[in-house]
Amino acid sequence: MEEDTKPFLIPVGGDEGDYGIMNIQFNPADLKCKRPFHIEPSNIVSVNDDTHRITDEASAMNKRIHYYSKLMAPSDRALVAPDHVLPAPEEIYVYSPLGTAFKIDGCTDGYGKNSSIVTIFMIWNTMMGTSILSMPWGIKQAGFTTGIFLILLMGSLTLYCCYRVVKSRTMIPLEDTSNWEFPDVCKYYFGSFGQWSSLLFSMVSLVGAMVIYWVLMSNFLFNTGKFIYNYVHDINVTDLVPGTNGSNRVICPGTPNEDQQGNKSGMWTKANHTGFELFEEWWSKSQTVPFYLIVVLLPLLNFKSPSFFAKFNILGTISVVYLVFLVTLKASHLGFHLEFNWLTANEFFVPEFRIQFPQLTGVLTLAFFIHNCVITLLKNNKNQENNVRDLSIAYFLVGLTYLYVGLFIFAAFPSPPLSKECIEQNFLDNFPSNDILTFVARLFLLFQMITVYPLLGYLARVQLLGHVFGNVYPSIFHVLVLNIAVVGLGVTIAIFYPNIGGIIRYSGATCGLAFVFVYPSLIYMISLHHSGQLTWSTLIFHIFIIIVGLANLIAQFLL
């Protein structure tokens, strides 16, 4: 009964910075773990397969905690709930208005255990995605010099908007926002419209990522199968596309080889003609392979818990590190091939400025997109005062990685004899399927995406079904219908529009319009207006940011 007699207001020794309301001191360490938190039992997401996602005892405790939270204003933290009204650590969740709740360990006020270096690389790892494969193509579309400028500009602009997201909670008066996510802030300012629109744009980003993954997995699976078949059957196929010769062969897939147009399968040795053609018929990048993925991925999407797949997150870091190694090695062997001409192009080089530059800005919007989860990532930073610094360093490292991969591939692309126009939207397609280093890269990425795809599907299910039905697994029928719809969309796009650059541009510009450009700027201007601190220069600058976001989206459909 010792805990039952513990007073709510805890006088302890300390410096003047520890004073609470009415000059009563409290223990900061005790405050961290006992601040009242919000939990909604009907929307809890469990990582287990238990029928009851939260115990009746925890639900009753939750009501008592709500009672304590009503005794004083949310901004006053001197009154803390005693231990006996708090659920056990394994029953504590952080609730989101999108119908999700995540189980956490330890304190719930954002004071985690990650050092700054861990936080920085966690953000870097989360932000690095499939966009890195399209960076050389994006630079080609914008022009070499313009591409460098746009990467730096979009990196800085999205960083500032991300900073505004991080600070958005602190500008809300008389509310305890320590457990809020950005959708909570949107709901506070824009009501149900902000809540539903944030759900819509979040779903666009998730479904867009799943479609991109399906197209890329089809590509990687096709090339991996082709490599294995040729190796097992000792087939030496001369590609039907032009390219350089030697051990570091680079190809131009979009252009047929005039010397071999009459030969469907090229040249092969020690292989059965009929067997090879049969393999090509049943192993097609656009006609068969996208369907084969259904057998593997559709059952995985129906798992109730994503915890097994979350264990493979390290593969993302390994894949990016290997891509950087591959780019460095290829560039060192190929050398640099550059010719600077600002406005005109010749047979082998593109101008430094091209009217298609918005295609790169669309890719970069998704490449630097982390705004919908940055608050969650920074909550576990041990030193909260370093959040802005660590976020800036993470953005710098992401931008540096994109610049490195994009510029090295673009500069090393052998022109002549090939034109820079041959650079593919997935730069790995510029290397033949029998390239051993590229085969390893595709294999890494394929396995990584197979493990990440169910996680994306789980998040989409949590946000949509949890928001609509109040239950992320209302029935196997609802889950199956949603998964079939998402998989069907992926297969359709992979067959009829296997254009990852276009998909990245459209999804990035669409979800980025709300989360990157519009909401952070509007919320900041509204909060300054309410406090009487809005100036004309601030108003004009943030309206300009919103216009940039709108122009970025519109331009994707005009080019």
Side-chain angles (χ1 to χ4, degrees):
M1 299 299 293
E2 181 180 352
E3 288 293 341
D4 295 341
T5 60
K6 191 172 184 178
F8 293 160
L9 302 179
I10 309 169
V12 295
D15 56 275
E16 294 179 357
D18 292 334
Y19 280 89
I21 189 171
M22 299 181 294
N23 290 330
I24 298 178
Q25 291 178 306
F26 56 85
N27 187 340
D30 192 83
L31 169 67
K32 292 179 183 179
C33 292
K34 293 184 179 178
R35 183 186 49 73
F37 63 95
H38 180 67
I39 184 171
E40 190 69 35
S42 63
N43 289 304
I44 291 303
V45 177
S46 176
V47 296
N48 301 316
D49 293 331
D50 301 334
T51 302
H52 297 90
R53 296 184 303 280
I54 186 169
T55 64
D56 294 335
E57 180 185 5
S59 179
M61 288 180 177
N62 174 57
K63 293 181 174 61
R64 298 175 68 184
I65 289 171
H66 279 279
Y67 166 75
Y68 285 109
S69 67
K70 298 294 184 182
L71 295 180
M72 298 191 70
S75 58
D76 298 330
R77 298 191 172 198
L79 186 62
V80 294
D83 288 343
H84 70 276
V85 302
L86 292 177
E90 65 272 11
E91 296 173 348
I92 296 180
Y93 294 81
V94 175
Y95 172 67
S96 166
L98 294 181
T100 64
F102 297 94
K103 185 178 292 187
I104 63 172
D105 296 321
C107 303
T108 62
D109 65 347
Y111 289 83
K113 300 179 180 180
N114 293 337
S115 64
S116 288
I117 189 68
V118 173
T119 301
I120 289 169
F121 280 99
M122 183 170 57
I123 295 175
W124 174 85
N125 185 44
T126 304
M127 208 183 309
M128 296 300 301
T130 55
S131 302
I132 193 173
L133 299 174
S134 296
M135 282 299 151
W137 172 81
I139 292 176
K140 183 255 294 186
Q141 295 301 98
F144 184 73
T145 305
T146 308
I148 297 175
F149 171 76
L150 288 178
I151 292 176
L152 297 176
L153 176 64
M154 290 297 291
S156 302
L157 187 59
T158 52
L159 170 60
Y160 173 75
C161 294
C162 199
Y163 165 76
R164 293 264 61 97
V165 170
V166 173
K167 292 295 183 180
S168 62
R169 299 182 304 164
T170 62
M171 303 189 71
I172 298 177
L174 304 178
E175 291 282 351
D176 179 12
T177 62
S178 54
N179 271 340
W180 284 24
E181 301 291 339
F182 191 57
D184 299 280
V185 180
C186 294
K187 183 180 180 181
Y188 174 85
Y189 282 99
F190 308 115
S192 59
F193 172 79
Q195 183 179 14
W196 282 98
S197 60
S198 62
L199 171 66
L200 172 64
F201 288 110
S202 183
M203 288 297 298
V204 168
S205 65
L206 285 172
V207 175
M210 295 180 74
V211 170
I212 295 170
Y213 270 41
W214 200 279
V215 174
L216 285 174
M217 284 186 294
S218 300
N219 182 307
F220 297 150
L221 181 59
F222 169 78
N223 284 285
T224 300
K226 188 175 179 181
F227 175 90
I228 295 174
Y229 181 88
N230 292 344
Y231 180 81
V232 170
H233 293 84
D234 194 19
I235 297 176
N236 179 21
V237 178
T238 302
D239 289 315
L240 302 179
V241 293
T244 60
N245 297 319
S247 57
N248 292 288
R249 178 173 167 80
V250 178
I251 61 175
C252 187
T255 305
N257 194 329
E258 296 180 358
D259 297 334
Q260 298 178 357
Q261 283 185 354
N263 186 357
K264 177 183 177 182
S265 298
M267 298 174 59
W268 59 89
T269 60
K270 300 182 182 178
N272 181 274
H273 186 167
T274 304
F276 185 81
E277 289 188 336
L278 187 63
F279 170 76
E280 285 191 327
E281 180 181 352
W282 287 95
W283 196 256
S284 170
K285 182 189 296 186
S286 61
Q287 297 179 3
T288 59
V289 172
F291 291 98
Y292 297 156
L293 287 171
I294 299 177
V295 179
V296 177
L297 293 175
L298 186 57
L300 297 181
L301 285 176
N302 295 308
F303 278 30
K304 285 188 176 181
S305 170
S307 57
F308 173 76
F309 304 103
K311 299 175 182 178
F312 296 95
N313 281 343
I314 188 63
L315 290 174
T317 302
I318 296 175
S319 300
V320 174
V321 171
Y322 182 80
L323 280 178
V324 172
F325 163 76
L326 175 66
V327 167
T328 305
L329 190 62
K330 292 292 184 182
S332 64
H333 289 161
L334 295 171
F336 290 157
H337 305 266
L338 291 172
E339 180 178 303
F340 298 98
N341 198 325
W342 186 249
L343 294 176
T344 60
N346 59 37
E347 181 181 357
F348 300 109
F349 295 93
V350 298
E352 299 305 297
F353 172 81
R354 304 185 77 184
I355 198 64
Q356 297 96 331
F357 73 90
Q359 295 181 350
L360 176 58
T361 62
V363 171
L364 291 172
T365 306
L366 188 63
F368 288 111
F369 183 71
I370 199 175
H371 301 63
N372 61 341
C373 62
V374 65
I375 293 177
T376 302
L377 294 175
L378 290 175
K379 277 182 179 180
N380 291 323
N381 196 355
K382 182 184 300 183
N383 302 308
Q384 291 290 294
E385 66 277 7
N386 295 335
N387 278 347
V388 175
R389 183 201 68 183
D390 296 344
L391 179 66
S392 302
I393 295 175
Y395 259 84
F396 171 78
L397 293 177
V398 171
L400 186 64
T401 307
Y402 288 149
L403 274 173
Y404 186 89
V405 172
L407 296 184
F408 268 52
I409 290 295
F410 180 89
F413 195 84
S415 52
L418 302 178
S419 170
K420 298 288 188 184
E421 292 288 353
C422 291
I423 297 177
E424 291 291 301
Q425 296 180 10
N426 172 7
F427 77 84
L428 294 179
D429 287 343
N430 286 115
F431 301 103
S433 59
N434 62 350
D435 186 297
I436 184 71
L437 294 176
T438 309
F439 163 75
V440 174
R442 290 181 175 123
L443 196 61
F444 263 129
L445 290 167
L446 176 62
F447 189 63
Q448 178 214 351
M449 290 181 179
I450 288 176
T451 58
V452 172
Y453 190 84
L455 292 175
L456 295 175
Y458 174 80
L459 292 175
R461 183 210 312 167
V462 163
Q463 294 198 4
L464 183 61
L465 299 185
H467 199 78
V468 174
F469 298 101
N471 186 341
V472 300
Y473 210 97
S475 70
I476 185 61
F477 172 77
H478 292 92
V479 173
L480 193 58
V481 169
L482 175 62
N483 291 337
I484 290 176
V486 173
V487 167
L489 179 62
V491 173
T492 303
I493 298 296
I495 293 174
F496 296 104
Y497 190 73
N499 182 341
I500 68 163
I503 303 170
I504 291 174
R505 289 192 297 120
Y506 295 135
S507 60
T510 302
C511 65
L513 175 64
F515 280 109
V516 179
F517 298 106
V518 175
Y519 282 162
S521 299
L522 279 181
I523 288 172
Y524 184 57
M525 289 188 291
I526 293 173
S527 62
L528 289 182
H529 176 69
H530 289 168
S531 61
Q533 299 177 345
L534 182 63
T535 62
W536 278 107
S537 58
T538 302
L539 179 66
I540 293 173
F541 176 71
H542 289 86
I543 290 178
F544 171 75
I545 292 178
I546 295 175
I547 293 174
V548 168
L550 286 170
N552 183 42
L553 177 61
I554 294 173
Q556 307 308 317
F557 297 93
L558 299 179
L559 297 176

